[in-house]
Amino acid sequence: MRIPFLSLAWMALLAAPAWAADNSSATCTATDLPLRPIMATHTQAPYPPVSVMTGEEGSTLVKVSIGADGVPTDVSVAKSSGSLRLDQAAVDHIKADWRWNAPVKSCKPQAAQTEVNVTWNLQNAAPTLMQAVYMQASDYPTDALKLGEQGAATIGIAVAADGTVSQIQVFQSSGFPDLDARAMELARGWHWVPANLNGRTLATVIYFRAVWRIADKK
């Protein structure tokens, strides 16, 4: 028996919708996954040098909103460590460096929120090198230069929010009072930039070593 060509074409048209319906009904069978940190990115936030010098410690509880791509979209302080400087360092580091594998539901990555605690302990702080300032021959008190006085003094300076020096102190003497006094005199005349947090200037404590070496003179 011969089947007309048009009948075959009609049968094909009838079959097409059935195939499309079966294909569109396919559903995701993959297992849902929770939010997972990418541990290689969850490094310790660098300790602010001024916080090391002033002995600031504590814990910052941080609230993090995470996009479907695993990148933080918003990072804020949920509970302060007691130091604005430490809190801001935690927020900046997490936003810049930390990443997650976003949670997956019905085969689709989802946005999420989480909280993390950043602990600030000076025992875990990376060593901070104190800046050395080498004094020139022209900085020397006249008599000290003639007498060949040399040494290094550790100076601490409290810089007010307006950039002025509010207090200055010798924490370790060079061994020569006239060199120590001259180092403090010079430091008072230098331009100091206070710490800045979110556009707000803060009082800052800065330390440096004033190094007096006659051999360094030109």
Side-chain angles (χ1 to χ4, degrees), residues 183-200:
M184 289 192 292
E185 178 186 358
L186 290 169
R188 283 187 180 277
W190 295 338
H191 176 70
W192 299 98
V193 179
N196 187 292
L197 180 62
N198 292 333
R200 173 189 171 196

Side-chain angles (χ1 to χ4, degrees), residues 6-82:
L6 290 177
S7 297
L8 289 175
W10 178 252
M11 291 174 63
L13 289 173
L14 291 175
W19 175 85
D22 291 340
N23 186 62
S24 62
S25 64
T27 58
C28 173
T29 58
T31 303
D32 290 348
L33 296 172
L35 179 69
R36 294 155 294 153
I38 300 176
M39 295 309 300
T41 69
H42 285 221
T43 55
Q44 177 65 40
Y47 226 111
V50 174
S51 295
V52 174
M53 291 187 290
T54 56
E56 293 180 340
E57 294 185 310
S59 295
T60 304
L61 183 63
V62 182
K63 182 179 179 180
V64 187
S65 297
I66 304 163
D69 58 357
V71 178
T73 57
D74 186 68
V75 183
S76 60
V77 176
K79 185 177 180 181
S80 175
S81 64

Side-chain angles (χ1 to χ4, degrees), residues 140-149 178:
Y140 254 94
T142 303
D143 291 341
L145 188 60
K146 291 179 180 178
L147 294 171
E149 295 176 352
D178 55 346

Side-chain angles (χ1 to χ4, degrees), residues 45-187:
Y47 226 111
V50 174
S51 295
V52 174
M53 291 187 290
T54 56
E56 293 180 340
E57 294 185 310
S59 295
T60 304
L61 183 63
V62 182
K63 182 179 179 180
V64 187
S65 297
I66 304 163
D69 58 357
V71 178
T73 57
D74 186 68
V75 183
S76 60
V77 176
K79 185 177 180 181
S80 175
S81 64
S83 164
L84 291 176
R85 188 178 293 108
L86 293 180
D87 293 344
Q88 190 62 41
V91 167
D92 290 345
H93 184 70
I94 290 172
K95 191 168 186 178
D97 292 358
W98 285 27
R99 299 294 183 264
W100 283 261
N101 288 310
V104 177
K105 185 175 182 180
S106 299
C107 292
K108 293 183 179 180
Q110 308 288 317
Q113 285 191 337
T114 189
E115 289 186 345
V116 294
N117 192 63
V118 178
T119 300
W120 300 99
N121 187 322
L122 287 170
Q123 292 183 348
N124 300 325
T128 301
L129 296 178
M130 187 179 302
Q131 183 174 1
V133 178
Y134 291 88
M135 300 301 181
Q136 301 177 13
S138 58
D139 297 325
Y140 254 94
T142 303
D143 291 341
L145 188 60
K146 291 179 180 178
L147 294 171
E149 295 176 352
Q150 298 185 88
T154 300
I155 311 293
I157 301 173
V159 180
D162 62 359
T164 60
V165 176
S166 60
Q167 188 175 354
I168 188 167
Q169 181 179 346
V170 175
F171 285 85
Q172 182 177 356
S173 174
S174 64
F176 299 96
D178 55 346
L179 294 184
D180 297 344
R182 179 59 175 159
M184 289 192 292
E185 178 186 358
L186 290 169

